[in-house]
């Protein structure tokens, strides 16, 4: 039995996981809200993914603003306030976002919804920057990954409940409402949801404020300037704003308005039995002639955003290698590689779930309505809970035999929690009973990974690559299970990436954490890219985007271990 010499602060850890629950609840709830908004506001797949864009770009914006302040004042604002106070402030800021969401749904304005979600996530950004290093500091650094996994497991519990509650609020007990009827529904019930969530944010802030088990985490240590890193991030931000401004501009052009008019004309023609099929085909062709050039422009510029981020990180790697002065945490190659890994990880995690609803509407995947996809969305986010609960077993100092038993039992407990929650919600879960086979595969990978960060990265990224390939080259239940298994693959990658990326950063750990949180931006860029790819080549084939993300994560697992070894840090020996 390997007893840690540093005891885990369980009281502080149990209080901390509250905010992790909120993040999962909101993020997963968006996976139901996206297909609903697509029908309610008559959007294309890319436009519907702007929910993710607004939500996750807020993480980048918040972290960037924090870093900008710290660079100007030479004081790390998070460490000045302390981890505890920073989380309280973050929760109160999210209250403002909840209030904004209440107003947005009352006026049923899509842009207002996007703004409200952005404000909520700005608060989450502040919470995330403080919460992840706090979780690692609440005990022995060797088990830091496991504590983040435990918190992530609670995050995924919120992710399991979020889609079910969102579906209930939007559709009530009606499971068969057609997508055509969604546009006639009301958003009034959403007002009560966001008022309730705002109240919970306030209660959580009070819980943290009065908690005596959460360490303040205040540090008055001066932060060395990282002017080069700041200049790079600001340049990258300006370029990204330009790229996405142009993409949004294409939705205001004369050509786009002509497409909208033709779509309406087509809808009228389809309802009119006196209109011949040839007329409908002519309208279709006119739409295609206008749509294809616009789609080509949009995908080029969306992809350009991805290229800008990759090139900026590559530039920082080369620049800091030649002269580390002024780069701060970016002088560490494991941090730079980890930044793009977090970008890809959050991107693929969100993209799979956010596009899953549209996939399930296709004939070869069951022809489901938006009101019927809740169980599948819940199982996807529940898959992350399954893996994270298993990864959290190592938090507790257990004898080897009990640890091995729990590594088998805990994932199935989590799996049955997902089934039970859906059964209570009145959902038919029989189509997902055989998904337990995927859970067995995840358990096998967990045993072999043995809580070692680099090995975990390689094994579970490989799991994701194989799952996406099987999903792309199959259809029906096998493909659905494969895409759902992407959640199992993602389940414990976040703590593994985070632990690898900040290993050896020393006084730059908090700054490195901030940079990593910025890269949650991937959840705002990759899903819209997949959404636009779906508009062009179909929702099924669009999962090639998810495949490419897992490929990079696999490469990161190999390369990061070598980078750390060159610094005399053998990551898997520390874990």
């Amino acid at each position: 039995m390997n007893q840690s010499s540093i005891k885990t602060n369980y009281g502080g850890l149990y209080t901390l996981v509250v905010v992790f629950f909120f993040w999962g609840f909101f993020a997963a709830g968006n996976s139901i809200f996206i297909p609903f908004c697509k029908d309610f506001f008559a959007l294309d797949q890319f436009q519907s993914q702007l929910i993710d864009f607004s939500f996750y770009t807020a993480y980048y914006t918040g972290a960037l603003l924090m870093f900008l302040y710290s660079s100007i004042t030479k004081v790390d604002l998070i460490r000045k306030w302390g981890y505890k106070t920073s989380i309280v402030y973050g929760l109160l800021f999210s209250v403002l976002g909840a209030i904004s969401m209440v107003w947005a749904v009352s006026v049923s304005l899509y842009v207002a919804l996007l703004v409200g979600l952005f404000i909520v996530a700005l608060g989450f950004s502040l919470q995330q920057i403080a919460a992840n290093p706090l979780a690692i500091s609440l005990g022995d650094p060797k088990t830091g990954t496991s504590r983040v996994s435990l918190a992530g497991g609670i995050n995924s519990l919120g992710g399991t409940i979020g889609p079910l509650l969102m579906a209930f609020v939007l559709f009530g007990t009606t499971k068969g409402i057609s997508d055509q009827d969604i546009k006639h529904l009301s958003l009034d019930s959403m007002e009560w949801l966001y008022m309730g969530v705002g109240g919970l944010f306030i209660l959580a802030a009070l819980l943290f404020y009065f908690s005596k088990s959460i360490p303040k985490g205040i540090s008055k240590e001066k932060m060395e300037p990282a002017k080069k890193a700041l200049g790079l991030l600001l340049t990258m931000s300006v370029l990204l704003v330009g790229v996405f401004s142009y993409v949004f501009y294409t939705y205001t052009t004369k050509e786009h308005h002509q497409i909208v008019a033709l779509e309406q004309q087509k809808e009228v023609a389809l309802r009119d039995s006196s209109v011949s099929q040839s007329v409908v085909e002519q309208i279709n062709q006119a739409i295609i002639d206008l749509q294809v050039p616009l789609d080509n422009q949009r995908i080029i510029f969306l992809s350009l955003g991805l290229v800008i981020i990759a090139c900026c990180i590559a530039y920082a790697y080369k620049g800091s290698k030649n002269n580390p002065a002024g780069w701060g945490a970016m002088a560490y190659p494991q941090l730079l590689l980890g930044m793009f890994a977090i970008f890809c990880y959050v991107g693929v995690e969100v993209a799979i779930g956010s596009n899953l609803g549209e996939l399930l509407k296709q004939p070869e995947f069951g022809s489901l309505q938006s009101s019927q996809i809740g169980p599948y969305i819940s199982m996807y986010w529940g898959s992350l809970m399954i893996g994270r609960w298993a990864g959290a077993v190592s938090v507790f100092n257990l004898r080897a035999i009990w640890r091995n038993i729990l590594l088998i039992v805990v994932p199935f407990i989590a799996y049955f929690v997902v089934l039970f929650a859906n059964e209570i919600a009145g959902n038919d879960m029989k189509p997902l009973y055989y998904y337990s086979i995927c859970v067995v595969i995840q358990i096998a990978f967990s045993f072999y990974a043995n809580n070692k960060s680099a090995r975990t990265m390689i094994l579970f990224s490989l799991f994701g690559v194989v799952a996406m390939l099987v999903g792309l080259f199959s259809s029906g239940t096998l493909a659905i299970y494969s895409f759902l298994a992407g959640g199992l693959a993602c389940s414990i990658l976040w703590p593994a990436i985070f632990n690898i990326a900040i290993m050896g950063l020393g006084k730059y750990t908090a700054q490195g954490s901030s940079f990593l949180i910025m890269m949650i931006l991937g959840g705002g860029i990759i899903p819209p890219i997949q959404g636009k790819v779906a508009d062009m080549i179909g929702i099924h084939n669009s999962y090639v985007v998810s495949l490419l993300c897992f490929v990079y994560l696999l490469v990161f697992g190999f390369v990061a271990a070598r980078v750390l070894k060159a610094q005399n840090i053998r990551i898997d020996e520390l874990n």
Side-chain angles (χ1 to χ4, degrees):
M1 181 172 62
N2 181 26
Q3 293 286 354
S4 171
S5 59
I6 304 176
K7 293 184 178 179
T8 298
N9 180 351
Y10 289 111
L13 184 59
Y14 297 151
T15 304
L16 178 62
V17 297
V18 171
V19 292
F20 281 79
F21 178 89
F22 285 135
W23 305 337
F25 178 89
F26 252 89
N30 287 344
S31 297
I32 293 290
F33 203 35
I34 285 170
F36 174 88
C37 287
K38 181 180 180 181
D39 295 315
F40 187 84
F41 293 105
L43 310 172
D44 65 21
Q45 189 65 11
F46 166 77
Q47 289 173 306
S48 70
Q49 296 296 314
L50 292 179
I51 287 177
D52 282 335
F53 177 82
S54 298
F55 191 73
Y56 290 101
T57 53
Y59 281 89
Y60 175 79
T61 304
L64 179 62
L65 291 174
M66 286 292 165
F67 180 59
L68 179 61
Y69 174 88
S70 299
S71 297
I72 294 173
T73 63
K74 298 182 181 180
V75 175
D76 188 326
L77 188 59
I78 300 297
R79 297 306 302 272
K80 179 183 178 181
W81 286 343
Y83 293 139
K84 179 178 177 178
T85 301
S86 296
I87 291 173
V88 171
Y89 288 162
L91 285 164
L92 293 178
F93 202 88
S94 292
V95 172
L96 297 178
I99 294 171
S100 300
M101 289 298 293
V102 171
W103 172 77
V105 296
S106 69
V107 297
S108 296
L109 186 63
Y110 188 56
V111 173
L113 289 172
L114 299 180
V115 172
L117 285 170
F118 183 86
I119 297 172
V120 170
L122 272 178
F124 285 0
S125 169
L126 179 54
Q127 296 165 42
Q128 282 253 24
I129 295 171
N132 284 283
L134 175 58
I136 292 174
S137 71
L138 291 175
D140 195 319
K142 295 179 181 179
T143 56
T145 297
S146 298
R147 283 191 296 281
V148 177
S149 288
L150 175 63
I154 302 302
N155 174 277
S156 296
L157 177 62
T160 301
I161 296 172
L164 299 178
L165 182 58
M166 182 66 76
F168 178 77
V169 170
L170 292 172
F171 306 113
T173 57
T174 304
K175 297 292 189 294
I177 186 171
S178 69
D179 292 343
Q180 289 74 25
D181 292 333
I182 284 178
K183 63 184 67 176
H184 303 301
L185 294 177
S186 170
L187 292 177
D188 291 348
S189 57
M190 296 290 289
E191 294 182 40
W192 293 103
L193 173 65
Y194 289 116
M195 281 192 282
V197 168
L200 290 175
F201 285 152
I202 293 174
L203 290 176
L206 292 173
L207 173 66
F208 271 84
Y209 182 77
F210 290 107
S211 173
K212 298 186 182 302
S213 57
I214 294 282
K216 292 183 178 180
I218 296 175
S219 173
K220 297 181 180 180
E221 183 180 19
K222 287 285 184 180
M223 192 180 78
E224 292 186 19
K227 294 181 179 179
K228 294 178 182 177
L230 177 61
L232 180 71
L233 290 170
L234 291 176
T235 300
M236 184 175 77
S237 301
V238 170
L239 292 174
L240 289 175
V241 168
V243 164
F244 281 95
S245 294
Y246 180 80
V247 174
F248 298 147
Y249 166 74
T250 64
Y251 281 91
T252 66
T253 61
K254 178 180 68 174
E255 290 80 7
H256 176 73
H257 291 306
Q258 289 175 341
I259 292 171
V260 173
L262 286 169
E263 290 282 3
Q264 295 172 344
Q265 185 179 341
K266 175 185 171 182
E267 188 175 336
V268 172
L270 288 172
R271 290 197 302 264
D272 189 346
S273 57
S274 64
V275 177
S276 66
Q277 183 62 31
S278 62
V279 172
V280 175
E281 291 176 355
Q282 288 175 6
I283 297 174
N284 266 332
Q285 188 58 52
I287 292 173
I288 292 171
D289 291 341
L290 290 168
Q291 187 76 57
V292 170
L294 274 181
D295 280 344
N296 288 338
Q297 292 177 46
R298 289 164 182 165
I299 197 62
I300 288 172
F301 273 82
L302 285 170
S303 300
L304 183 58
L306 186 62
V307 171
I308 287 170
I309 293 169
C311 288
C312 286
I313 291 176
Y315 177 81
Y317 176 80
K318 182 178 180 181
S320 61
K321 189 175 182 180
N322 295 332
N323 182 10
W327 286 103
M330 285 190 185
Y332 294 84
Q334 64 266 33
L335 188 276
L336 292 169
L337 292 167
M339 286 172 65
F340 200 67
I342 289 290
F343 180 89
C344 291
Y345 162 74
V346 178
V348 70
E349 176 191 282
V350 176
I352 293 173
S354 295
N355 288 282
L356 189 60
E358 187 65 22
L359 182 79
L360 294 171
K361 293 180 181 181
Q362 308 307 307
E364 62 270 33
F365 294 96
S367 299
L368 301 183
Q369 303 295 315
S370 294
S371 58
Q372 299 172 316
I373 64 176
Y376 296 89
I377 300 296
S378 177
M379 183 58 77
Y380 171 72
W381 292 101
S383 294
L384 278 89
M385 180 175 72
I386 291 168
R388 287 170 178 172
W389 281 21
V393 168
S394 297
V395 170
F396 308 98
N397 290 319
L398 301 170
R399 295 173 58 185
I401 186 171
W402 283 110
R403 175 181 174 276
N404 292 337
I405 290 172
L406 287 177
L407 280 176
I408 297 172
V409 173
V410 167
F412 277 105
I413 291 175
Y415 172 64
F416 287 121
V417 165
V418 179
L419 294 180
F420 181 68
N422 277 274
E423 292 290 348
I424 290 177
N427 295 321
D428 180 15
M429 298 302 288
K430 291 185 181 66
L432 291 169
Y433 284 170
Y434 290 105
Y435 186 66
S436 56
I437 297 172
C438 297
V439 178
V440 172
I441 296 173
Q442 189 275 336
I443 291 171
F445 274 72
S446 293
F447 267 99
Y448 192 69
N450 196 27
N451 199 38
K452 297 181 183 296
S453 295
R455 190 185 295 180
T456 296
M457 278 300 312
I458 293 169
L459 286 174
F460 280 85
S461 298
L462 181 61
F463 185 10
V465 169
V466 173
M468 293 304 104
L469 285 172
V470 173
L472 282 165
F473 289 100
S474 62
S475 61
T477 300
L478 177 60
I480 293 172
Y481 278 18
S482 296
F483 291 133
L484 290 177
L488 292 172
C490 287
S491 58
I492 54 177
L493 288 180
W494 170 276
I497 297 169
F498 211 95
N499 201 39
I500 291 171
I502 66 173
M503 185 64 64
L505 266 60
K507 64 182 180 181
Y508 291 112
T509 299
Q511 185 185 99
S513 173
S514 179
F515 289 156
L516 291 172
I517 298 305
M518 287 183 196
M519 290 300 102
I520 291 178
L521 175 67
I525 291 182
I526 291 177
I529 288 177
Q530 183 166 338
K532 182 45 62 181
V533 171
D535 287 332
M536 298 176 70
I537 64 174
I539 188 67
H540 187 190
N541 292 329
S542 74
Y543 275 83
V544 69
V545 176
S546 298
L547 170 64
L548 294 175
C549 291
F550 277 119
V551 169
Y552 174 78
L553 293 173
L554 180 60
V555 172
F556 170 75
F558 285 105
V559 175
R562 294 181 181 178
V563 166
L564 288 171
K565 187 176 180 180
Q567 301 173 28
N568 294 318
I569 301 173
R570 287 171 170 78
I571 183 69
D572 280 351
E573 292 179 13
L574 293 175
N575 287 276

